[in-house]
Amino acid sequence: MSATDQHDEAHHGALGSRLNWLRAAVLGANDGIVSTAGLVVGVAGATDSRSALLTAGLAGLLAGSMSMAAGEYVSVSTQRDSEKAALAQERRELRDSPDAELAELTGLLADRGLSQEVAREAALQLTERDALRAHASVELGIDPDELTNPWHAAWASFLAFTAGALLPLLAIVLPPAPVRLYVTVGSVLAALALTGWGSARLGSAPAGRAIWRNVGGGAVAMGVTYGAGVLLGAVGV
C-alpha cells in the first residue's frame, strides 16, 4: 500500500469516526431538548411557580443525562467486551491453525474481487506484516488499536443531553410568567429544526423531511404534556 493510499484510508477512517460522534451528539442533544421541554411544559400547564418549574427541569436534566450516560456506558462496554473476545479467539486460531487462517484470509480477499493468485499473495504479505491486524480488519471489521471506549461514549451522551436540556430549562424559568410558555415553545421548535437539519446533513438525507419530523414530534410531545398538566392542575392534583 502506498503512502497516499495509507493517508486516504486513515483520513476516511477519521472522518467516519468524527461523523459517528457528531451524529450521536446531535441525537443526544435532541433527546435532551424534547424530554426536558415536555417535562417543563407539562408542569407549566399545572402551575406558574418558577421554583416548581426549575425543580422539575433540573430533575429531568439530571435524570436524563445520567440515564443516557449509563446506558451508553453499558452498551459500549458490551460491544468492547465482544471485540476483545473476538480478537482473543482470532489470536488462538492464528496460533493453533495458521495455515487454515491464511486460507481463510485468502478466501475473504478473493470474495472482495481479487483473483485467487492476487488474493493469496496479498494474504501472505498481510500475514507477514501483522496477521492479527489483517484478520481483525478483513474478517472482523475491528482495529485492535481503536476499540470502542465506553467512557468516551458515556461522557459524550451526558454532555450532549445536558446541552440540549438546558435550552428548555432556561427558556421556561428566565422569561416573565406571561410569555415563558411562548418563549419555550418557540425556542424548542427552532432548536429541533436545527437538530433535524444537522442530522439530515450528517446522514446525507433530505433536510425538509427530517426538520418536519423533528419539529412535529416535539410539538406533539409538548402539546400532550401541557394538556396533561392543565388537566391535573384543574383537578388540583
Side-chain angles (χ1 to χ4, degrees):
M1 181 182 294
S2 68
T4 300
D5 291 338
Q6 289 176 333
H7 173 76
D8 290 343
E9 182 179 350
H11 178 74
H12 176 74
L15 177 60
S17 178
R18 284 197 299 271
L19 288 177
N20 285 336
W21 282 111
L22 284 171
R23 187 176 294 111
V26 169
L27 294 176
N30 192 77
D31 287 344
I33 293 169
V34 174
S35 61
T36 306
L39 178 61
V40 297
V41 167
V43 174
T47 178
D48 61 358
S49 168
R50 180 174 274 121
S51 62
L53 293 169
L54 179 60
T55 300
L58 282 175
L61 184 155
L62 292 173
S65 60
M66 294 299 294
S67 175
M68 288 282 291
E72 280 296 305
Y73 181 83
V74 170
S75 175
V76 176
S77 292
T78 301
Q79 180 183 344
R80 185 183 179 90
D81 290 343
S82 297
E83 291 172 346
K84 287 183 175 180
L87 290 173
Q89 175 67 24
E90 203 60 44
R91 286 190 187 93
R92 288 193 295 270
E93 292 174 353
L94 286 167
R95 181 194 63 210
D96 298 337
S97 308
D99 292 338
E101 289 300 296
L102 178 61
E104 181 183 33
L105 183 58
T106 300
L108 290 170
L109 292 172
D111 289 342
R112 297 189 176 189
L114 299 179
S115 68
Q116 192 66 29
E117 294 77 12
V118 173
R120 175 75 177 182
E121 180 61 27
L124 284 169
Q125 292 188 23
L126 289 171
T127 299
E128 289 175 0
R129 178 177 299 178
D130 191 329
L132 179 61
R133 182 178 297 279
H135 281 267
S137 175
V138 177
E139 182 180 349
L140 305 175
I142 297 174
D143 183 344
D145 295 330
E146 296 292 338
L147 299 182
T148 52
N149 190 312
W151 285 108
H152 289 173
W155 276 109
S157 295
F158 177 87
L159 294 174
F161 187 97
T162 299
L166 281 173
L167 173 68
L169 175 59
L170 296 176
I172 202 74
V173 299
L174 293 181
V179 299
R180 64 169 52 128
L181 188 61
Y182 302 105
V183 171
T184 301
V185 171
S187 59
V188 164
L189 295 181
L192 290 176
L194 181 61
T195 57
W197 176 84
S199 62
R201 286 297 301 272
L202 290 171
S204 300
R209 185 181 305 171
I211 290 172
W212 283 113
R213 184 167 55 235
N214 243 24
V215 171
V220 170
M222 288 188 290
V224 170
T225 56
Y226 180 75
V230 170
L231 180 61
L232 290 174
V235 299
V237 176

